[in-house]
Amino acid sequence: MGLRSGRGNWVNTAAPNPSGTIYTCTRLRIRAHQLIPREDYLRMIRMGIPQIARFIGEHGYAREIHIFPGSRPDIDRIEIALAANLAAACADVRGLTTGHLKTLTDWYLHRWDIVNVMIVLRGKRRGLPADRIREILVPAGDLDSAALEVLLGTGSFDDIVAELKNWRLHPVIERECQNINRPCLFAGLENRLWQQYYTDLIRNCGSGIPGGEIFLDSLRLEIDLANFRNLLRLRAGSAPKDPAGQMIAGGNITVEELSALSLIGDHDGFVSAFRTFRLHPLLVEAYRSLAGPDISAGEAEDYIADRWVGRKRPLHEMEMAVARVRLNRMAGLSKRNPFSVLPVILYLERKKFEVFNIRAIVRGIGDGIDPEKIAQYVVI
């Protein structure tokens, strides 16, 4: 029988409720301001694991932290609590939204289905027990806890594909999993899933649904950044000459423009092209947030060009800086459209990064990494 999700229909046809939208957006803006602030992350970086467990238990994670036995290793306990808390926060937002706001929010949250399916596939490939895989799942999308439990109980990849036959991205996973032993299958599968996700999301947001066009502005920036990051990673590996097949269509920067940029191999040629690149101001701003506000645009261009020409992977701290700038851009869009889906998405994005930040800090401390180095892995 293939699994079915209990999340409801793909399109919510309920009429918009202006008073409900105002209430929801206002409430989520308040919640966003109540998330852990920068100064507390800097304090946490210098805490021990038990102190962090107590701290987050006092700052929104009490139920999840205290539900597990005290004998459980603290790092594992925190990891499980973080995933459970994020899933609960997404479910709560689903419950707050109505009408077209709910439809747009649901479309956004379907991205967690890809994350969870890939966690299950990779976990089973590595032979991890179901309990360990379950602990890091975030059932916040269309595939709920019951649906994911079915996947965890499957015995083979073919069984997983069969159980996903009612999932909207099933055609992609069925096509890509025809040869499960092909090298780099999972990377290719994940890329195809994300391509289809964004294709569907852009089409749906442009279909005339109220608020869809406003959401598209944020989505296009997200796609542009994902494509440029992937372009850098492809250059650092054994990438095909034309990376068009790896790019996501629908951003402000076309796939053709990205393909043309990929052919430039020298420093001066890249800098010349980069200065007219739509992401230029954002990437310069991100580099300045790392290197200092007095850094010139030329110095930022040289830094990015050196990594490009040297075929070096993007540094994680630069990726985190870009994420911070993107969140700031989203906040600006949200202020200009205060009663749209943007305050909802902004809260969900900030909540996600709060969880990612705590996880990075806990893992860093557990691995004995220097606090200053840990700070580079935190979006604050």
Side-chain angles (χ1 to χ4, degrees):
M1 285 185 53
L3 60 83
R4 291 185 182 274
S5 165
R7 296 296 192 186
N9 295 329
W10 172 242
V11 177
N12 186 324
T13 57
N17 180 348
S19 61
T21 297
I22 293 171
Y23 169 78
T24 299
C25 293
T26 301
R27 188 168 175 181
L28 291 177
R29 273 196 296 273
I30 293 171
R31 286 191 189 182
H33 286 299
Q34 293 172 340
L35 295 174
I36 295 174
R38 170 186 171 85
E39 56 269 21
D40 283 345
Y41 288 127
L42 297 178
R43 288 172 54 204
M44 289 170 63
I45 286 170
R46 302 184 183 280
M47 292 180 184
I49 299 298
Q51 288 176 292
I52 292 176
R54 287 194 298 271
F55 180 84
I56 66 173
E58 296 167 357
H59 293 80
Y61 295 80
R63 187 182 71 84
E64 292 83 8
I65 281 289
H66 297 304
I67 200 171
F68 301 108
S71 59
R72 192 176 189 91
D74 283 319
I75 292 179
D76 288 346
R77 184 177 165 197
I78 292 174
E79 288 268 9
I80 297 166
L82 293 174
N85 183 273
L86 180 54
C90 293
D92 189 48
V93 170
R94 278 182 183 269
L96 281 175
T97 55
T98 59
H100 298 305
L101 197 64
K102 177 176 177 55
T103 300
L104 291 165
T105 301
D106 284 350
W107 288 346
Y108 163 83
L109 287 172
H110 287 148
R111 62 185 58 197
W112 283 107
D113 294 331
I114 298 175
V115 174
N116 290 328
V117 167
M118 295 308 303
I119 287 174
V120 171
L121 287 173
R122 288 190 168 109
K124 284 185 169 289
R125 167 58 65 86
R126 293 172 59 190
L128 296 178
D131 284 349
R132 184 68 190 101
I133 301 172
R134 184 185 297 110
E135 290 170 353
I136 55 177
L137 295 173
V138 180
D142 203 37
L143 301 176
D144 58 15
S145 295
L148 294 172
E149 199 61 37
V150 171
L151 296 185
L152 288 173
T154 56
S156 70
F157 289 103
D158 287 341
D159 291 338
I160 292 176
V161 173
E163 291 293 350
L164 287 168
K165 71 178 184 181
N166 294 314
W167 184 36
R168 62 181 44 82
L169 294 179
H170 176 262
V172 178
I173 198 169
E174 183 179 43
R175 182 176 63 248
E176 293 295 320
C177 285
Q178 287 180 356
N179 183 1
I180 198 68
N181 294 315
R182 180 162 48 85
C184 301
L185 168 82
F186 287 164
L189 168 61
E190 188 169 16
N191 187 61
R192 294 292 183 265
L193 289 172
W194 284 115
Q195 286 177 325
Q196 191 62 52
Y197 165 81
Y198 282 110
T199 295
D200 293 344
L201 188 53
I202 288 173
R203 181 189 64 244
N204 289 325
C205 286
S207 66
I209 183 172
E213 288 295 330
I214 294 172
F215 190 11
L216 278 174
D217 290 339
S218 176
L219 280 175
R220 289 188 178 112
L221 175 60
E222 185 179 340
I223 291 170
D224 289 340
L225 288 170
N227 279 337
F228 187 64
R229 180 186 65 239
N230 290 338
L231 202 58
L232 285 170
R233 290 176 176 176
L234 286 169
R235 279 187 59 82
S238 54
K241 191 162 189 178
D242 185 358
Q246 306 296 314
M247 298 292 105
I248 300 169
N252 290 310
I253 303 169
T254 67
V255 172
E256 290 74 21
E257 289 176 281
L258 293 163
S259 293
L261 184 66
S262 72
L263 298 176
I264 301 174
D266 65 291
H267 183 281
D268 291 346
F270 175 81
V271 169
S272 177
F274 181 60
R275 284 174 178 164
T276 64
F277 199 54
R278 288 179 179 84
L279 290 178
H280 177 276
L282 187 149
L283 294 173
V284 169
E285 181 182 347
Y287 184 68
R288 280 175 172 157
S289 73
L290 289 177
D294 295 331
I295 293 294
S296 68
E299 290 172 296
E301 292 162 359
D302 285 338
Y303 165 81
I304 296 169
D306 286 343
R307 301 206 69 79
W308 177 272
V309 175
R311 295 184 176 274
K312 301 174 185 176
R313 290 179 64 86
L315 292 175
H316 189 78
E317 51 264 42
M318 183 62 179
E319 292 188 340
M320 295 302 96
V322 169
R324 287 192 290 272
V325 174
R326 183 175 77 85
L327 287 177
N328 290 337
R329 297 287 176 90
M330 286 181 65
L333 282 172
S334 176
K335 287 179 180 177
R336 293 195 291 275
N337 301 276
F339 303 119
S340 69
V341 73
L342 294 182
V344 180
I345 303 302
L346 181 60
Y347 166 74
L348 290 169
E349 284 284 294
R350 284 180 167 168
K351 178 63 183 179
K352 177 188 73 175
F353 278 112
E354 178 181 85
V355 166
F356 288 2
N357 288 343
I358 299 171
R359 182 178 292 154
I361 290 170
V362 170
R363 288 178 177 173
I365 292 172
D367 292 340
I369 298 175
D370 182 85
E372 300 303 321
K373 184 67 175 176
I374 295 173
Q376 297 174 354
Y377 287 78
V378 176
V379 179
I380 54 178

